[in-house]
Amino acid sequence: MARLTALDNAMGDLFSREEAPDRWLAPGALHLPGGATRLGPGSRWLHAWIDAVSARAPFRHMQTPGGQTMSVAMTNAGPLGWVSDRQGYRYSPLDPLSHVPWPPLPPELLELARRGAEAAGFAGFVPDACLINRYEPGARMSLHQDRDEADLNHPIVSLSLGLGAEFLLGGLGRRDPVQRLILHGGDLLVLGGEARLRFHGVAPLKAGAEGEVRFNLTLRRAAP
Ligand code: MD6
Ligand code: FE
């Protein structure tokens, strides 16, 4: 039986994490608690895979176009990887640190993303990019829209591992009110359709008992 968090208890949640039902946060935005285990290879396998990816394409703190250093460390897997530097945001087939292709996306992860997207009503999702974010305590992701992909009709499927974090889901305007939820290790979140361009972000990570780090993988289709 998986652990219940204080928040779950406060909400009177009788479910273990894996049994908590999928929940629509907004049309096109579906939270799937424990989705990595229910629909895919589980967290242990994914942690080992991230270790293997980062041995070839190390986590690094990218620069924003404005010259700030991001608090989240990033790497990528798949034919395309998301990069940011003084020239802007873009997708690149090569790791700018090594000038070689990013490590491949394994079929297990493609299948997990496909199933997650399908659960949210987006059939036939085939990602070509996986951005891997690593948060240590204090790291945060400010409110943003993901709009560097060629075709915004494709959803994005996110998978969280390790420490839970407070996720902020806003609206289509930067100043719209945000709803807050905890993304736990093993959770999936799909943003697609009319939710695809909602602003979203992550509050500064608090240290916790589940290990001192959080990973978030976002599976995207970057090329048309
Ligand atoms: C994070 N996630 O959870 C950051 N983007 O660390 C995202 O920025 C995100 O969760 C697009 C779709 C789903 C996401
Ligand atoms: Fe995002």
Side-chain angles (χ1 to χ4, degrees), residues 133 135 141 144 146 156 158 160 167 183 189 191 200 202 214 216 218 220:
N133 293 153
Y135 295 73
M141 176 85 66
H144 67 276
D146 290 277
I156 295 182
S158 113
S160 294
F167 186 84
L183 290 182
L189 174 68
L191 291 187
H200 57 279
V202 178
R214 168 179 188 253
N216 179 263
T218 41
R220 300 131 181 272

Side-chain angles (χ1 to χ4, degrees), residues 105-191:
L105 269 176
E108 292 86 347
L109 199 50
L110 292 174
E111 181 62 10
L112 173 61
R114 192 193 63 75
R115 290 179 184 172
E118 186 174 77
F122 306 104
F125 179 49
V126 183
D128 61 6
C130 178
L131 173 64
I132 308 175
N133 293 153
R134 188 187 67 197
Y135 295 73
E136 289 177 357
R140 61 191 288 272
M141 176 85 66
S142 52
L143 281 183
H144 67 276
Q145 295 171 301
D146 290 277
R147 53 188 320 155
D148 302 317
E149 300 73 32
D151 181 353
L152 299 177
N153 290 309
H154 297 298
I156 295 182
V157 176
S158 113
L159 160 60
S160 294
L161 294 169
L163 283 181
E166 187 177 34
F167 186 84
L168 282 58
L169 181 67
L172 297 177
R174 183 177 285 280
R175 307 173 62 115
D176 291 351
V178 297
Q179 50 177 309
R180 294 163 188 269
L181 62 144
I182 306 294
L183 290 182
H184 292 275
D187 288 6
L188 299 183
L189 174 68
V190 182
L191 291 187

Side-chain angles (χ1 to χ4, degrees), residues 46-62 70-77 95 97 102-103 130-136 161 213-218:
L46 288 160
H47 274 108
W49 178 70
I50 291 172
D51 284 346
V53 168
S54 63
R56 283 177 52 182
F59 283 101
R60 79 290 308 262
H61 294 272
M62 297 184 190
M70 294 183 172
S71 61
V72 175
M74 298 176 170
T75 187
N76 289 279
D95 179 346
L97 290 182
W102 303 100
C130 178
L131 173 64
I132 308 175
N133 293 153
R134 188 187 67 197
Y135 295 73
E136 289 177 357
L161 294 169
V213 59
R214 168 179 188 253
F215 295 101
N216 179 263
L217 282 58
T218 41

Side-chain angles (χ1 to χ4, degrees), residues 79-122:
L80 292 169
W82 186 87
V83 296
S84 175
D85 58 22
R86 294 306 297 253
Q87 273 66 57
Y89 306 135
R90 64 194 171 280
Y91 283 92
S92 168
L94 302 182
D95 179 346
L97 290 182
S98 60
H99 308 286
V100 301
W102 303 100
L105 269 176
E108 292 86 347
L109 199 50
L110 292 174
E111 181 62 10
L112 173 61
R114 192 193 63 75
R115 290 179 184 172
E118 186 174 77
F122 306 104

Side-chain angles (χ1 to χ4, degrees), residues 17-67:
R17 296 281 328 144
E18 269 91 40
E19 291 159 355
D22 297 350
R23 187 164 75 92
W24 291 98
L25 306 173
L30 185 66
H31 177 205
L32 301 93
T37 304
R38 276 190 291 123
L39 303 181
S43 302
R44 185 188 291 268
W45 184 91
L46 288 160
H47 274 108
W49 178 70
I50 291 172
D51 284 346
V53 168
S54 63
R56 283 177 52 182
F59 283 101
R60 79 290 308 262
H61 294 272
M62 297 184 190
Q63 297 272 112
T64 67

